[in-house]
Amino acid sequence: MSSTNIALLGAIAGFTIYLGLPIGRLRRPTPRLKAGLNAVAIGILIFLVWDVLTHAWEPIDEALSEHKWGTVASGGSTLAAGLTIGLAGLVHYDAWTARRRKAAGAHPAGPGAAATAELAPKTHSQAESLALMIATGIGLHNFAEGLAIGNSAAQGDLSLAVLLVIGFGLHNATEGFGIVAPLAAEGERASWLTLLWLGLIGGGPTFLGTIIGQHLVNDTLSIAFLGLAAGSILYVVIELLAVARRTGLKTLTTWCILLGLLLGFATDAVVTAAGV
């Protein structure tokens, strides 16, 4: 298979994320719908944390069984560093942006106040920040998926590559929904440009990973990206759980989280059948 065709496979897998993004254009969803969307996104993201960590741990677990302690040490430290940066890094980043918002709103009113506000850097709403964080975490995850597609196709295993594209494509469609769920839950109607940008962040890395995966296969690199993805997605899950608690709709939230989890496992079935 030519490099162009392999890259096309990665593009198809990555940009199916746009199938789930239009839900971010919903107008004034009801409180129950907002709570349900938020909860389904939580379920999908919980599944992704498990899925990402499973793939990250596989080469470390294999090295443990073969008593390759050097590989265990390098892989384990890489995973720990990725998780730390992805989770704790976002905590500190969120605190920094909160301080910026507070400082921007602390300017006294008076002559020149409007000009000062115009010169102040634009800040995003909490829902926009969450959507961006989800897209970034999913993008890191999808980069590792792209590496798998590119590597299998380059080795001549076309059937496996196609199955990976189908499976990852199904995953990406649900991930697109997860990205914009915070916006829909807060009643913020995303612009088409915003959806385009979020899709590029979340789905584009699949395409890049496919291109790189044709020429480079490195367990440490994959573990690093998967660790970053798991940490960042876990942070978003914590944030969305706080949103869910404020709704007070415990029964609806529980069932919708379960639905999100089941959707994650269902869309993973094709990839599992491929033996990955």
Side-chain angles (χ1 to χ4, degrees), residues 65-91:
S65 64
E66 297 175 359
H67 301 125
K68 295 180 179 179
W69 305 118
T71 302
V72 171
S74 62
S77 59
T78 299
L79 178 57
L83 280 168
T84 301
I85 294 171
L87 180 55
L90 284 179
V91 171

Side-chain angles (χ1 to χ4, degrees), residues 101-141:
R101 291 194 195 101
K102 185 177 180 180
H107 296 295
T116 301
E118 289 172 1
L119 292 173
K122 182 181 179 182
T123 57
H124 297 284
S125 69
Q126 184 179 17
E128 289 174 326
S129 297
L130 276 175
L132 181 59
M133 289 177 186
I134 294 172
T136 302
I138 287 174
L140 291 168
H141 172 216

Side-chain angles (χ1 to χ4, degrees), residues 74-269:
S74 62
S77 59
T78 299
L79 178 57
L83 280 168
T84 301
I85 294 171
L87 180 55
L90 284 179
V91 171
H92 291 289
Y93 171 78
D94 194 40
W96 175 72
T97 55
R99 288 195 298 270
R100 283 182 61 197
R101 291 194 195 101
K102 185 177 180 180
H107 296 295
T116 301
E118 289 172 1
L119 292 173
K122 182 181 179 182
T123 57
H124 297 284
S125 69
Q126 184 179 17
E128 289 174 326
S129 297
L130 276 175
L132 181 59
M133 289 177 186
I134 294 172
T136 302
I138 287 174
L140 291 168
H141 172 216
N142 285 344
F143 181 81
E145 291 184 346
L147 291 176
I149 294 172
N151 181 241
S152 59
Q155 291 178 343
D157 197 341
L158 181 59
S159 61
L160 174 58
V162 171
L163 283 172
L164 284 172
V165 168
I166 295 172
F168 293 153
L170 288 170
H171 259 315
N172 285 346
T174 58
E175 288 168 356
F177 168 79
I179 289 172
V180 295
L183 294 171
E186 292 298 325
E188 295 186 22
R189 193 164 184 256
S191 68
W192 287 112
L193 182 60
T194 297
L195 296 183
L196 175 64
W197 178 238
L198 291 173
L200 285 174
I201 294 173
T206 309
F207 174 69
L208 295 176
T210 301
I211 295 174
I212 295 173
Q214 298 178 57
H215 311 288
L216 174 66
V217 181
N218 185 284
D219 282 343
T220 302
L221 179 66
S222 294
I223 291 171
F225 276 99
L226 290 170
L228 283 169
S232 58
I233 294 172
L234 182 58
Y235 172 80
V236 172
V237 168
I238 294 170
E239 291 291 295
L240 294 183
L241 283 170
V243 173
R245 184 173 293 276
R246 289 198 297 268
T247 66
L249 299 171
K250 186 175 181 179
T251 301
L252 175 66
T253 296
T254 300
W255 279 105
C256 288
I257 289 176
L258 176 61
L259 174 61
L261 273 170
L262 294 177
L263 282 173
F265 279 106
T267 57
D268 194 48

